[in-house]
Amino acid sequence: MLEISRTVALGVLFVAVFIFRRFLEFRRAAASVNNLPGFRTLFSERFVWFPFRVKGISPGVQSEAILYRRHKDYEASGWDIMSGVYVYPPGEVTLFLADPAVVKEVIGSRARFPKPLGPYKMLLSFGPNIVASEGDEWKHQRKLVAPAFSEKNNKLVWDETVRIVHDLFDNVWEDRDTIAVDDIKELTAPITLLIIGVAGFGRRISWKDDSVAPAGHRMTFKDTLSIVSRNLFLQVVFPQWVLRWGTPTMRSFHTAYSEIEKYMHEMIHARRSAEFKEERYDLFSSLLDANEGLSEEGEKLSDAALLGNIFIFIIAGTLTSAYTLAYAFILLALHPDEQETLYQSIKSVLADGRTPTYSDFSSFSYAMAVFNETLRLFPPALTIPKRATEDTSFTTTNAAGEKRTIPVPKGTYVTIQPPALHSNPKYWEDPDVFKPARFLGDYPRDAFLPFSGGARGCIGRGFSETESIAVLALIVSRYRVEVKEEPQFLGETFEQRKARLCKSRMSVSLFPERAPLVFRRR
């Protein structure tokens, strides 16, 4: 009995010492940033197994909760920089940023604030790629990948988007006066999928392409691209054996993923072995040709790295653009006055009813304003993580204009929060209101970061802007977008309708859960 009591006492003492040490580490971590207000939780925002926002448990900054909070947490703390101090991992601190001047400093200092690769290691499941790399490896990847996003590729994107949308009008909507869409993503996702098919991989696919799979394949290229783009997160979350033997969706994805790899290898071989290489400007051909051109320098990307970057193209070229377009149509349906302004601006460019060409791109200023305002309200990424490589400090201000200097110890995580930055009332008037015109003149550029910035800014920005402006100009010039009336939502207020249609979730990118819309012929 005495032995049991002694064991229990030692156990209690061990637990007490453990808790006391954790308490001291927690206090030291908070003191290292001068006890700057912010989150004090059990888990850090990097604890992927509990991404939810629960007071005292997790800050939930990787969830859609941070979108709805926007700048409110910073207003509550009193400063445009907040701290996160956690019990686990012990001793770690995160500084969250919504101060444009500090964000500009961090974005512009890649050596002092590199991207921590931990959160991006999951993307290596697709192969080495530009997103999940840093340092010399990133420079090598960017040297090869960036030239593919050329002006000639942008023109190809525009021309093919026009063809794809006209194909939609003629062969899917068939010139009907009214088209109801149960979820706007069901329209925007196929559009961007067809665009990436041709401008990304040089393969034209029509809306009604129902051809059988070619010899040696179990799926058509269109089906593989569609299934893979919609379910890429499965490759990140589950091991191969689970995908091979799991649910029907998992098994279908596993087959599609294997098939698209096979298609890519065939395309690589065909391009390399061709006696005469046709000059093409799709991303795949440009990347492959650039890689072959470095053969004498010994800097070629492996086929695994080529495929890794191709899968990143699929993510960025389909999901993020599709979801941004979905939000844009939702906002235009909710704000018919802004939609009318957009329509009139488009008609002023296309006064004779002609089809827009790439040379018209810069003339669609209001369409670009709608696109940017959509990204301000619904940025694809909710956080942009960095990490300090040296001891430094930040200086920020509060609403009263008072300054505060915050120490930044080496190793501190620094997380930029676009939703908070984009709705900081010190820089944006009526930040929660959809006002595209704010982008027609001078606007706080340092407080707008939908594509990240600096050297690590999104290299596909031009691709996304080009396809999105073309889609908006073509569809809005012919159809009026409205919210689909559903009996269960009769009598709802504007704010209730807005909340319902804009309800979002976070996966690979931020997306609206469900928004039924109607397109009526003008």
Side-chain angles (χ1 to χ4, degrees), residues 8-65:
V8 171
L10 286 174
V12 170
L13 179 63
F14 175 81
V15 171
V17 170
F18 177 81
I19 292 174
F20 184 67
R21 288 183 61 184
R22 283 287 185 267
F23 174 74
L24 291 179
E25 290 170 340
F26 186 88
R27 291 288 299 272
R28 280 195 294 266
S32 72
V33 290
N34 286 352
N35 293 298
L36 180 71
F39 301 110
R40 301 293 184 266
T41 57
L42 178 62
F43 300 119
S44 81
E45 79 282 0
R46 291 175 299 283
F47 188 67
V48 297
W49 302 111
F50 197 90
F52 314 105
R53 183 187 180 96
V54 179
K55 187 175 181 179
I57 303 298
S58 170
V61 298
Q62 300 294 346
S63 72
E64 55 274 7

Side-chain angles (χ1 to χ4, degrees), residues 276-296:
F276 172 74
K277 292 185 179 180
E278 176 188 358
E279 189 172 17
R280 287 164 42 179
Y281 304 114
D282 60 90
L283 299 179
F284 179 85
S285 298
S286 298
L287 177 60
L288 189 57
D289 291 348
N291 194 48
E292 294 300 299
L294 290 177
S295 58
E296 296 181 1

